[in-house]
Each structure stands twice: as structure tokens, then as C-alpha cells.
């Protein structure tokens, strides 16, 4: 390869993904504050207004925020296809998502329909812009690239998730308030967690786990077949769920597909854990621990999900627990693992690109283990305390909220510190900042 | 006589191979080049090389890793030594 083959403007400016990464932890902190403010009532059931506000502060404010920022950075790298006008698109998507998430959560918490309607416009606009920009980028990407299909499918799943979310939102804000059936909400959740989050984590893991953790490559059958299989199972499963009340055949179909999806996700988690145990450099690594926690949580979620599907009766506590472990155990832990690699790496890379004079810090100096390792433990303790709080709402809600707040504030502080290292070196040694 | 600096960074996670490459190349003298064995092709490194006045040539090392040659842009002696290796002369 020669210089002429390269598009040096491919990677977005540092500020494009960074604004998403630096904002995200504060939404989780806000969720912890809301949990502490509302107390045990917040965990009454998955349908309580406060729980809906909490859920969306985490899923939109923390998960989607980091995932959209990461995709803005990863599309040029993984799919060799950058998003056009990244500063403009990134800034607009970030602004709309930030305002929309705040409006939606406040609208849920205060049961305020005008706020919810405003949120639907803001979030709908933000996601539409992102899906159009990322979709155009992935449309032009090389089909032979194995990263492209999981990303395309994840983006399509995001589109379906957003559409279901808007339909449910409209039904809540119109005269037919609260008419959205549990099935529609379940499909919104399934497309969000299994499609969008699951396929994106999978598509990214297929690349970054072998590369950053020095593991053997994922087996070819998994990288080629698993994402399309799961994606194909989702609409069929949704259809089965919708039509299940009308004919027992569809119940059987929905159950069979739930098993297929569960086994697929479990296979991904087990293969990832196995590959990580075979890594070439057996040194302790915080990001590896976060990934292991994410995969173990995913396995626990598969067990809980299948138990909920097949056990007779209602288990509202188990439903809450499944949601919590999907968000805080699986998705959030994987995102921690990604952020603690990608943020110091981008800081390091952009420092070198700035032609800063003098000795530049290495990755470990930008994000020292002494700061990330304690956060891993706090994150783990927060996860356990939230689990206890779900089982015994009451006193335990408060320590759970406090450790959640501490964990995400710590994450936010670590990420901000990396950016502070970048700013300090640029200010001290630099010539022409290309921000 | 051109002199070859060898670096085997195949067992290191990103960006340690890039960190080591950058540490070596800035000390290259006349006629000297770096021959680095890396776990994969270091795409983010190339813009840095271009900006800081280096040329490079990469080829597969046979086990999905990458063999990368780097020399100072106007060092014809180093360039021709690398060409000889790549052409199998």
C-alpha cells in the first residue's frame, strides 16, 4: 500500500466520537440520582414511570450515546467507509439525542405528554439523521468486508427499534394513552437489545477481541452465519409473539425461535470467553475483565430470558432483573471494555497526528490501570447491589444508587482525564491544533 | 552498506507495535531502514508516517501478520535496499 491509496481525511476529528463518550456517563449518573430520589418505588415494576425514565436514561443516554459515537469512529476503520460531514452529522445527532433523552426521561418521570411528544421529534430526528448517514456509509462499503454485514444488520435493527419506540410513544401521548400492548414493548426491547445492541457488540467483538486481546480469531461459521441467523430469527419471533394469541402454532414458533436466539447468543458468549482464555499474552487487563463480565452477564441473561419464556406464571422481579443485567451487566460492561481501549488509543493517535513536540505519553500513561481497575470493582459491586435492590426493594435501593453513581462518575472522570492529557500536551507542545 | 533494524512486535496488542515502530524510526540514520513484523497491517500508522517524512512498504508475512519496511523519504540508499528485499533480489 502506498500513501496515494490512503484517504487521510477518513477518520473523523477527535471531537466527533469524544463528545458522545464524554457525555454518556453523566446520563447514567442522572439515572442513579433519579433512583435515589424516587427510592424503592422506582423498582416497583418494569412499567412504572420512573423505571421507564431510568431505562431510557441508560439505554439512550449511556448505551446509544456511546454506540453512535463509536460507530462514527469505527465505520472508517472497520468498514473503510467514513460517514460524510462527520462534524456536522456528529454534532447534530449528539445534540438531538442529548435533548431527546432528557425530554423523554423527564416526560416519563413527570408523566407529561407534551414533553414526551417533543422527545419523539428530537429522538426521531436524531436517529433518522444517524441511520441515514451511517446507512449511506455502509451501503457504499465493500460487501466482501466481514465487518460490514453485522453492522448493516445492527443498523436495520436500530431502525426497527426506533420505529417501534415511536409507535409506542405516540400511543402513550394520544387519547389511547397506555394502549401499547406488552407485546409491542417486548418487540421494541427485543429489537433493541438482541438486534441493535447484540449485533453491534458481536460485529465489533469479531474484530476487536482478537486484535486488542490477542486471542485466536473467531471461528468462520460464527463470523459469517451468526449475525444473519439472529437477525432473521427476530422478525419471525416478533410475528410469532404478535399472532400467538390467535393460534397455538405461533406460540410454538415463538418459543422455538426464542430458543434459537438464546442458543445463538450463548454460543457467542461461550466462544468469546473461550478465545479470551487462549489469549497469547496472559497479563491482567481491565478491558478484558469488562468483556468477561459482559459475556458472563449475557449468559445469565439467556438463562433468565428462557426461564421467563417457559416458566408458567408472572415473575415481575425476574423481568426487571433481566433488563438490568442486559443493560448494566452485558451492554454497559462491554462498552466499558471498549471505551477503556478506544479512548486512550484515540488520544494517543491524535497526539501523534498533531505533531506535538516532546515526549508523548503511552497508552498506560493516558489511562493508568490504577484508575481503571478500581472502577471495574465498583461497577461489579453496583451490579450486585442493584440485583439485591431488585429482590429486596427498600433500604438496598440507596446503596445501589450510590455505587451506580460512583461507578459512572468514576468512568466519566477517567474519560475526561484522558482528554485532559491530550489538551495539556497540545497546549504545551503544539503548533497547529487540528480539532 | 544499508543497515537493517529488525522489530518483531507480533505478540503485542495495539498500539504497542506502533509505539515501538515510532520509537525506532526516529533514530534511523542514512541508509537505514526498519523491518518490522506486526500482528496486522497498521493502517492508523500510515498517516503518521506520511506526515513525519517516512516512506513505507507493507507485505503479508504469511500468517495473517504484516511485514512492514520504513525508511526516511529521501533516503535512496535505504529505499533501494528495501526494493531489493521485496523483489527477492
Amino acid at each position: 500500500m502506498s500513501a496515494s491509496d490512503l484517504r487521510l481525511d477518513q477518520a473523523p476529528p477527535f471531537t466527533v466520537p469524544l463528545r458522545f463518550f464524554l457525555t454518556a456517563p453523566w446520563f447514567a449518573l442522572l439515572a442513579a440520582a433519579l433512583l435515589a430520589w424516587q427510592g424503592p418505588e422506582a423498582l416497583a415494576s418494569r412499567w412504572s414511570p420512573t423505571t421507564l425514565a431510568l431505562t431510557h436514561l441508560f439505554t439512550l443516554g449511556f448505551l446509544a450515546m456511546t454506540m453512535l459515537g463509536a460507530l462514527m469512529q469505527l465505520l472508517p476503520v472497520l468498514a473503510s467507509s467514513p460517514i460524510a460531514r462527520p462534524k456536522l452529522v456528529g454534532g447534530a445527532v449528539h445534540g438531538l439525542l442529548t435533548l431527546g433523552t432528557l425530554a423523554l426521561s423527564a416526560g416519563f418521570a413527570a408523566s407529561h405528554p407534551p414533553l414526551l411528544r417533543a422527545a419523539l421529534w428530537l429522538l426521531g430526528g436524531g436517529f433518522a439523521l444517524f441511520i441515514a448517514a451511517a446507512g449511506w456509509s455502509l451501503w457504499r462499503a465493500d460487501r466482501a468486508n466481514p465487518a460490514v454485514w453485522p453492522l448493516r444488520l445492527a443498523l436495520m435493527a436500530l431502525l426497527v427499534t426506533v420505529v417501534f419506540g415511536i409507535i409506542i410513544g405516540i400511543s402513550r401521548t394520544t387519547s389511547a394513552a397506555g394502549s401499547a400492548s406488552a407485546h409491542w414493548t417486548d418487540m421494541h426491547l427485543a429489537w433493541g437489545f438482541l438486534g441493535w445492541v447484540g449485533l453491534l457488540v458481536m460485529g465489533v467483538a469479531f474484530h476487536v477481541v482478537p486484535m486488542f486481546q490477542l486471542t485466536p480469531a473467531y471461528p468462520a461459521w460464527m463470523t459469517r452465519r451468526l449475525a444473519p441467523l439472529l437477525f432473521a430469527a427476530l422478525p419471525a419471533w416478533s410475528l410469532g409473539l404478535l399472532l400467538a394469541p390467535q393460534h397455538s402454532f405461533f406460540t410454538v414458533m415463538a418459543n422455538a425461535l426464542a430458543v434459537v436466539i438464546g442458543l445463538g447468543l450463548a454460543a457467542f458468549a461461550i466462544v468469546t470467553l473461550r478465545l479470551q482464555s487462549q489469549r497469547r499474552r496472559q497479563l491482567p487487563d481491565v478491558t478484558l475483565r469488562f468483556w468477561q463480565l459482559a459475556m458472563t452477564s449475557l449468559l445469565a441473561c439467556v438463562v433468565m430470558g428462557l426461564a421467563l419464556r417457559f416458566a408458567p406464571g408472572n415473575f415481575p422481579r425476574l423481568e426487571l432483573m433481566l433488563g438490568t443485567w442486559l443493560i448494566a451487566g452485558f451492554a454497559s460492561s462491554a462498552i466499558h471494555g471498549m471505551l477503556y481501549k478506544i479512548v486512550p488509543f484515540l488520544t494517543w493517535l491524535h497526539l501523534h497526528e498533531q505533531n506535538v513536540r516532546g515526549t508523548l505519553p503511552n497508552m498506560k500513561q493516558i489511562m493508568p490501570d490504577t484508575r481503571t481497575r478500581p472502577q471495574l470493582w465498583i461497577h461489579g459491586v453496583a451490579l450486585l447491589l442493584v440485583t439485591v435492590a431488585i429482590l429486596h426493594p427498600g433500604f438496598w435501593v440507596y446503596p445501589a444508587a450510590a455505587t451506580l453513581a460512583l461507578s459512572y462518575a468514576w468512568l466519566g472522570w477517567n474519560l475526561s482525564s484522558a482528554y485532559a492529557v491530550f489538551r495539556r500536551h497540545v497546549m504545551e507542545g503544539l503548533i497547529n491544533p487540528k480539532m | 552498506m544499508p543497515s537493517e533494524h529488525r522489530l518483531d512486535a507480533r505478540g503485542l496488542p495495539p498500539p504497542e507495535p506502533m509505539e515501538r515502530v515510532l520509537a525506532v524510526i526516529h533514530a534511523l540514520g542514512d541508509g537505514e531502514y526498519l523491518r518490522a513484523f506486526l500482528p496486522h497491517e497498521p493502517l492508523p500508522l500510515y498517516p503518521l508516517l506520511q506526515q513525519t517524512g517516512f516512506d513505507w512498504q507493507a507485505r503479508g508475512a504469511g500468517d495473517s501478520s504484516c511485514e512492514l519496511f520504513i525508511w526516511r523519504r529521501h533516503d535512496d540508499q535505504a529505499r533501494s535496499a528495501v526494493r531489493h528485499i521485496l523483489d527477492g533480489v
Side-chain angles (χ1 to χ4, degrees), chain A residues 1-4 6 8 77 80 211-214 280-281 341 345 348-349 352-355 361-364 434, chain B residues 10-16 18-20 22 39-41 43-48 50-52 55-58:
Chain A
M1 179 179 281
S2 69
S4 60
L6 286 169
L8 297 184
V77 181
S80 305
M211 185 189 287
F212 280 109
Q213 296 169 15
L214 297 175
R280 290 205 294 280
R281 205 160 72 153
K341 260 313 174 204
F345 182 65
W348 179 89
L349 191 64
H352 279 274
E353 277 182 0
Q354 297 279 341
N355 280 329
N362 61 32
M363 290 266 285
K364 287 291 176 202
K434 288 184 291 183
Chain B
R10 278 174 290 194
L12 302 175
E16 282 184 50
M18 282 167 60
E19 285 177 339
R20 298 201 179 191
L22 288 172
H40 51 83
E41 197 171 2
L43 295 178
L45 178 66
Y46 297 155
L48 302 183
Q50 193 178 47
Q51 278 175 18
T52 45
D55 277 349
W56 69 93
Q57 193 75 46

Side-chain angles (χ1 to χ4, degrees), chain B residues 13-74:
Chain B
E16 282 184 50
M18 282 167 60
E19 285 177 339
R20 298 201 179 191
V21 165
L22 288 172
V24 173
I25 60 171
H26 286 290
L28 288 178
D30 285 345
E32 294 181 334
Y33 63 90
L34 171 67
R35 184 177 195 171
F37 295 88
L38 305 173
H40 51 83
E41 197 171 2
L43 295 178
L45 178 66
Y46 297 155
L48 302 183
L49 294 177
Q50 193 178 47
Q51 278 175 18
T52 45
F54 290 91
D55 277 349
W56 69 93
Q57 193 75 46
R59 68 174 177 184
D63 54 353
S64 85
S65 60
C66 167
E67 188 179 4
L68 183 67
F69 296 85
I70 304 172
W71 62 95
R72 289 194 182 275
R73 189 162 295 147
H74 302 297

Side-chain angles (χ1 to χ4, degrees), chain A residues 409-432:
Chain A
W410 200 315
L411 172 68
W413 176 250
N414 280 342
L415 300 179
S416 304
S417 300
Y419 184 56
V421 169
F422 175 81
R423 291 297 305 168
R424 195 170 62 243
H425 279 83
V426 168
M427 292 297 176
E428 280 172 4
L430 164 73
I431 320 233
N432 177 23

Side-chain angles (χ1 to χ4, degrees), chain A residues 31-48:
Chain A
L34 183 65
L35 180 60
W37 181 37
Q38 295 291 316
E41 211 177 287
L43 300 178
S45 90
R46 62 182 270 210
W47 304 106
S48 84

Side-chain angles (χ1 to χ4, degrees), chain A residues 21 70 73-74 212 337-347:
Chain A
F21 299 156
Q73 179 67 40
L74 290 174
F212 280 109
M338 187 205 71
L339 285 173
Y340 278 150
K341 260 313 174 204
I342 199 171
V343 170
F345 182 65
L346 290 178
T347 306

